[in-house]
């Protein structure tokens, strides 16, 4: 009969010794490979004799220095963020990952800070190829308390101008028009002197819903065409069309809105003729304000940047648009929903200024604060 004796401490010690020797041998082999491999000098030399690998997407243009922004911070930034979280409100500044958020929220003077509040939740029923806002065919239901909470937040901040926007809600019978209009009315009730800009969707082309929001007491009706007519099918959701957006802006003007406004992104592959055609179409729709900004790719899942537009080209488009008769043009690499309080208050008081005078007056405010 064979008996198996338990391992003695001597046998365990021998086993550990063999394992240690094996590991030491492997470590020695690895160290030898490192010693025989390329050194730091090989990578620093102008013509290294080693094969190198380039990581990342080399087909994308590099981000220019004039588009790099600072990490957002400051007391005003923290205060606005805390108020938004406490009242369960969303902003397009955060959801769309806007690079301007530090400038908009971070001013030392709270009256010069601006947030673009996003109504009706943080989930959109459309999927534009440039936008990082979440999408779903069936977003959560509307928060019935949102209009009151929004008005409360705005009245706390003591701002002179506020921008409201919204996700598209094609799942709602009126696209959320009544919810939007109710929010504006409550803001005007709590803070009568504040100027309100409403950046709306196209309400699926239903112009009666456009009229409902336009008659709510707002000061600026904004709706973005985003890009040229030729590029629209490749940039925006298939349910959004260039002509439909023009009809939204035209109807808002017909309802008596003082200022209508739109924005275009550059760097998507548009041609000069396409941009000129878009500007002519906007003037024919009696649009007052246009802004140009650089398309910034939010994630690798979104469409690529075709090119980064130089500041001088933005300046040229500003001059072209002003000469076409627009009331005001904001044009720059990080331009967005520009703060035009001086334009509104000047126009509202009955002053008659030339486009050049209005442009100069507005630029003072843009220099102080560049909201999203």
């Amino acid at each position: 009969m064979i008996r198996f004796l338990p391992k003695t401490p001597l046998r365990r010690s021998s086993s550990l010794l063999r394992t240690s020797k094996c590991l030491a041998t492997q470590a020695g082999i690895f160290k030898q490979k490192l010693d025989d491999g390329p050194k730091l000098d090989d990578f620093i030399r102008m013509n290294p004799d080693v094969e190198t690998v380039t990581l990342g997407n080399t087909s994308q243009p590099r981000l220019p220095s004039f588009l790099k922004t600072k990490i957002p911070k400051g007391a005003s930034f923290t205060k606005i963020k805390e108020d938004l979280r406490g009242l369960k409100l969303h902003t397009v500044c955060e959801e769309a990952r806007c690079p301007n958020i530090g400038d908009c929220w971070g001013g030392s003077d709270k009256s010069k800070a601006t947030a673009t509040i996003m109504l009706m939740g943080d989930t959109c029923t459309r999927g534009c190829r440039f936008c990082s806002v979440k999408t779903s065919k069936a977003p959560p239901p509307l928060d019935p308390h949102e209009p009151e909470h929004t008005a409360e937040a705005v009245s706390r901040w003591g701002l002179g101008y506020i921008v409201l926007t919204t996700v598209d809600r094609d799942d709602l019978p009126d696209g959320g028009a009544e919810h939007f209009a109710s929010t504006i009315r409550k803001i005007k009730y709590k803070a009568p002197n504040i100027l309100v800009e409403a950046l709306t969707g196209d309400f699926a082309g239903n112009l009666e819903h456009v009229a409902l929001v336009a008659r709510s007491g707002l000061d600026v009706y904004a709706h973005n065409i985003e890009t040229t007519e030729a590029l629209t099918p490749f940039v925006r959701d298939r349910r959004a069309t260039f002509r439909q957006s023009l009809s939204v802006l035209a109807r808002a003007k017909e309802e008596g809105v003082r200022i209508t406004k739109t924005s275009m992104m550059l760097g998507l592959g548009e041609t000069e003729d396409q941009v000129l055609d878009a500007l002519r179409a906007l003037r024919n729709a009696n649009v007052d304000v246009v802004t140009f900004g650089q398309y910034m790719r939010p994630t690798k899942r979104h469409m690529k940047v075709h090119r980064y537009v130089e500041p001088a080209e933005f300046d040229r488009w500003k001059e072209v648009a002003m000469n076409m008769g627009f009331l005001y043009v904001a044009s720059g690499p990080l331009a967005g929903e520009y703060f035009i309080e001086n334009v509104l208050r000047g126009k509202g008081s009955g002053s008659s200024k030339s486009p050049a005078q209005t442009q100069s007056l507005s630029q003072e405010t843009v220099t102080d604060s560049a909201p999203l």
Side-chain angles (χ1 to χ4, degrees), residues 324-365:
M324 293 176 70
F326 286 95
L327 173 68
Y328 171 62
V329 180
S331 183
L334 293 175
E337 302 305 325
Y338 268 76
F339 192 57
I340 55 173
E341 180 179 0
N342 283 347
V343 176
L344 278 162
R345 297 199 187 280
K347 187 173 182 180
S349 62
S351 61
S352 57
K353 293 180 174 60
S354 67
Q357 289 173 317
T358 303
Q359 179 186 15
S360 176
L361 176 65
S362 307
Q363 187 60 45
E364 295 174 8
T365 306

Side-chain angles (χ1 to χ4, degrees), residues 102-151:
D103 292 329
C104 299
W105 293 16
S108 58
D109 183 356
K110 186 171 64 173
S111 66
K112 294 180 180 179
T114 302
T116 300
I117 296 178
M118 188 163 69
L119 304 175
M120 302 189 233
D122 62 352
T123 305
C124 186
T125 53
R126 299 190 185 182
C128 295
R129 295 164 183 84
F130 65 88
C131 183
S132 66
V133 174
K134 293 184 292 186
T135 62
S136 172
K137 291 182 179 179
L142 297 181
D143 176 5
H145 304 294
E146 185 178 53
E148 182 67 30
H149 287 170
T150 303

Side-chain angles (χ1 to χ4, degrees), residues 3-61:
R3 291 184 178 180
F4 294 94
L5 299 175
K7 287 186 177 181
T8 64
L10 181 60
R11 289 181 178 179
R12 284 197 295 269
S13 299
S14 300
S15 177
L16 289 173
L17 183 60
R18 287 195 299 270
T19 302
S20 299
K21 288 182 178 179
C22 181
L23 291 174
T25 302
Q26 292 176 353
I29 295 173
F30 181 71
K31 184 177 183 303
Q32 185 63 41
K33 286 183 177 180
L34 288 178
D35 292 340
D36 295 340
K39 306 294 188 297
L40 178 61
D41 290 343
D42 294 321
F43 292 97
I44 296 176
R45 290 201 310 266
M46 293 297 295
N47 298 305
D49 297 328
V50 296
E51 183 179 355
T52 60
V53 177
T54 302
L55 300 177
N57 183 7
T58 57
S59 63
Q60 278 286 97

Side-chain angles (χ1 to χ4, degrees), residues 220-288:
V220 178
Y221 193 110
H223 173 68
N224 292 343
I225 60 170
E226 308 295 3
T227 187
T228 64
E229 185 169 15
L231 290 183
T232 294
F234 307 101
V235 175
R236 301 173 69 188
D237 185 275
R238 59 181 178 78
R239 287 163 285 186
T241 70
F242 185 84
R243 294 293 157 179
Q244 185 165 279
S245 290
L246 287 179
S247 68
V248 168
L249 292 161
R251 180 57 181 270
K253 197 66 177 177
E254 291 170 6
E255 292 296 329
V257 173
R258 287 193 291 166
I259 290 182
T260 52
K261 175 184 172 189
T262 195
S263 297
M264 290 181 63
M265 297 177 289
L266 301 181
L268 293 166
E270 66 285 333
T271 66
E272 184 169 326
D273 287 341
Q274 289 172 354
V275 176
L276 287 171
D277 288 342
L279 291 174
R280 294 188 190 102
L282 292 171
R283 286 304 301 131
N284 289 336
N286 294 317
V287 174
D288 299 298

